[in-house]
Amino acid sequence: MKPVFVAEVKTTSPFGFQSPYTWDALFAIAQKKGAMLSIHTNPHWGGSFEILQTARNQTTKPILAK
C-alpha cells in the first residue's frame, strides 16, 4: 500500500518560524508531493480563507483547512 502524505503549506508561525519560500512556491511543492494538502486559514500561521480559496482553485486534491 502506498503511503498517504499530507503536505502542509505554512509560511509563518506565531513561534518565530518564517519560511524562506513564498506561499506559491510552497504550494507548488505540496501539490507535487502530497496526496492531500493542508492549508492554514489562521493569519497567525500565514493563512486566510482567501488563501484557502486560492488553493481550492488550483487543485482538485483534498484539502484540510486548518
Side-chain angles (χ1 to χ4, degrees):
M1 176 162 66
K2 184 177 178 181
V4 175
F5 179 71
V6 179
E8 182 170 80
V9 182
K10 175 171 54 175
T11 58
T12 189
S13 81
F15 307 109
F17 171 78
Q18 181 64 48
S19 176
Y21 303 101
T22 66
W23 186 91
D24 290 328
L26 293 172
F27 181 83
I29 295 166
Q31 171 78 337
K32 181 177 179 183
K33 299 293 185 178
M36 297 184 282
L37 307 177
S38 174
I39 306 295
H40 284 276
T41 58
N42 187 319
H44 289 106
W45 298 93
S48 70
F49 285 101
E50 291 80 16
I51 288 173
L52 177 63
Q53 185 62 55
T54 298
R56 174 47 47 217
N57 292 339
Q58 293 182 26
T59 188
T60 58
K61 291 184 179 185
I63 293 177
L64 170 66
K66 294 173 72 177

